[in-house]
Amino acid sequence: MERAGGYTAGENGVGTTCAVAMASELKAQTIRPSEKKMLTLVYQNGKLVDRKEEKYTGKDHGMVVSFSPSKKLMGTDKIPIDMLKTWFKDFDYTLPRGIKMEYTIGHETFKVEHKTIDEFFDIDIKKEHRFCNPLRFKCSGGLKETYRDKEYDRTFEIDAAIVYSSGDYRGELIEHSWMNHIHTTQNGSHVNGIVNGFIKYMTEKVVAKNKKLADEDLKKDILAHFNIVVKGECNMAHMFSSQAKHTVNSQQLGIAIRNAAYETLKNMNQRVIDDMVDVIIANHRARIEGEKARDINRSTKEIKTW
């Protein structure tokens, strides 16, 4: 059981079927200059109404799709442009650099900018609102997937970025991820794997610098002011929670990514990591002082009440 095309989002064509069913009209045209063919399919209200195969001698190649929503099924015949803009902006981070792309919304044309994932922080967290520079690293590995009593070799590649926002940052903490180019809105195993590998390694680094913290649970301190972006690719056949692909829920994948992240961090340049160690120690100090202040305040109130 292989995921069609390797590191791809789709598997069985359910999404395409839904798009056809929900369109008052959908026209798909595929152009293949190597075969000198152009095929056009037209669907109306879920039914194929026209199929035309023509000879093609041009140089263009690819697919052209036009979609008109069915007002009867969707309650509107308008495409939500704002949602479309957000979806396209993800291509700045997920589209391979070898693929050049531009798109037009309304009368404005945009080009995919091919940004690195640590640049995602620039949208909300300005440099003056950061405790340190972002840490970006890549890790990869393999695992076994069992399907119908048969075992398959799978692989994954992860690109992750982490940054600590400062106390004067007033925005939401960032936890954003993709898997196989899909925005996983509820994150999942790929993010958990990176976070757990980071926690394990940073705990060791903090204790190595301050032996007094050896018996402390540092998880809260490591995750305070913590922001993360993860882009993953994996050829597992079954890793998404549902057809909507809101989250990746493979426990095996999470464990494999955790181990790969930990090993990668051990072999990295330590400059940014050392800065993050200082941030975590400061987070711990602030948390302990805060807990002491709350205890004193609570004791004072109890005395007054008595």
Side-chain angles (χ1 to χ4, degrees):
M1 180 68 179
E2 295 289 346
R3 176 165 291 279
Y7 293 166
T8 62
E11 177 61 34
N12 50 24
V14 172
T16 301
T17 302
C18 289
V20 170
M22 294 179 180
S24 60
E25 180 174 284
L26 185 145
K27 179 180 177 182
Q29 188 174 69
T30 178
I31 305 169
R32 300 180 179 180
S34 61
E35 300 176 22
K36 297 183 178 179
K37 289 181 181 179
M38 180 169 66
L39 175 66
T40 303
L41 302 174
V42 180
Y43 296 87
Q44 291 179 350
N45 301 311
K47 295 181 179 180
L48 180 64
V49 296
D50 190 24
R51 183 184 190 280
K52 185 186 298 181
E53 188 172 321
E54 304 171 82
K55 185 176 181 181
Y56 181 77
T57 57
K59 295 182 179 180
D60 290 338
H61 64 89
M63 177 174 282
V64 180
V65 178
S66 61
F67 174 86
S68 299
S70 168
K71 190 171 184 178
K72 179 180 178 181
L73 294 176
M74 303 184 71
T76 180
D77 57 1
K78 306 296 183 184
I79 294 175
I81 298 300
D82 288 340
M83 289 179 64
L84 201 61
K85 285 181 178 178
T86 301
W87 182 61
F88 275 122
K89 286 303 292 180
D90 273 3
F91 289 153
D92 284 348
Y93 306 95
T94 61
L95 200 68
R97 287 190 172 273
I99 299 177
K100 307 300 180 184
M101 175 179 165
E102 63 180 39
Y103 53 94
T104 301
I105 298 178
H107 299 290
E108 190 173 2
T109 298
F110 305 86
K111 287 186 177 180
V112 172
E113 299 181 32
H114 296 296
K115 296 180 178 180
T116 56
I117 63 167
D118 53 298
E119 292 180 89
F120 189 87
F121 297 130
D122 296 341
I123 300 172
D124 295 307
I125 308 177
K126 306 304 179 187
K127 292 183 178 179
E128 60 267 26
H129 293 150
R130 302 175 186 181
F131 276 131
C132 57
N133 291 325
L135 170 68
R136 183 188 172 202
F137 62 95
K138 296 182 180 182
C139 61
S140 60
L143 69 156
K144 301 287 186 180
E145 181 182 19
T146 302
Y147 179 73
R148 292 183 178 178
D149 299 324
K150 188 176 179 180
E151 209 169 49
Y152 298 86
D153 291 320
R154 305 302 191 201
T155 59
F156 64 84
E157 297 177 7
I158 304 292
D159 190 356
I162 294 167
V163 73
Y164 282 96
S165 50
S166 59
D168 56 357
Y169 171 64
R170 294 293 178 261
E172 294 287 332
L173 294 178
I174 294 172
E175 188 174 1
H176 196 94
S177 65
W178 302 272
M179 175 57 79
N180 291 1
H181 310 295
I182 291 178
H183 176 203
T184 38
T185 56
Q186 296 174 16
N187 302 302
S189 304
H190 52 325
V191 177
N192 296 340
I194 292 295
V195 171
N196 290 333
F198 183 77
I199 289 173
K200 180 181 179 182
Y201 182 65
M202 295 308 290
T203 298
E204 293 177 1
K205 289 286 290 185
V206 169
V207 171
K209 184 165 186 177
N210 188 339
K211 299 290 193 299
K212 295 179 180 179
L213 300 179
D215 297 325
E216 297 284 341
D217 183 357
L218 299 172
K219 183 175 180 180
K220 288 183 179 179
D221 309 314
I222 293 172
L223 297 183
H225 309 288
F226 179 87
N227 302 269
I228 184 169
V229 179
V230 174
K231 181 175 69 173
E233 293 182 330
C234 182
N235 60 353
M236 289 185 72
H238 300 279
M239 60 179 169
F240 292 107
S241 59
S242 66
Q243 182 63 33
K245 300 179 176 68
H246 293 313
T247 184
V248 178
N249 67 347
S250 168
Q251 185 178 7
Q252 288 175 292
L253 180 60
I255 293 171
I257 292 173
R258 179 199 65 191
N259 295 338
Y262 174 78
E263 292 300 325
T264 298
L265 289 167
K266 283 203 307 184
N267 293 293
M268 284 188 64
N269 183 302
Q270 299 293 297
R271 184 176 57 83
V272 176
I273 291 175
D274 288 341
D275 290 342
M276 289 184 166
V277 167
D278 293 336
V279 171
I280 293 166
I281 292 174
N283 285 345
H284 177 77
R285 190 181 304 117
R287 179 171 65 84
I288 296 302
E289 291 301 320
E291 289 174 356
K292 287 180 180 177
R294 284 193 294 273
D295 289 342
I296 292 171
N297 187 47
R298 189 182 302 114
S299 299
T300 303
K301 286 183 178 179
E302 288 174 354
I303 292 171
K304 288 180 177 179
T305 301
W306 178 258

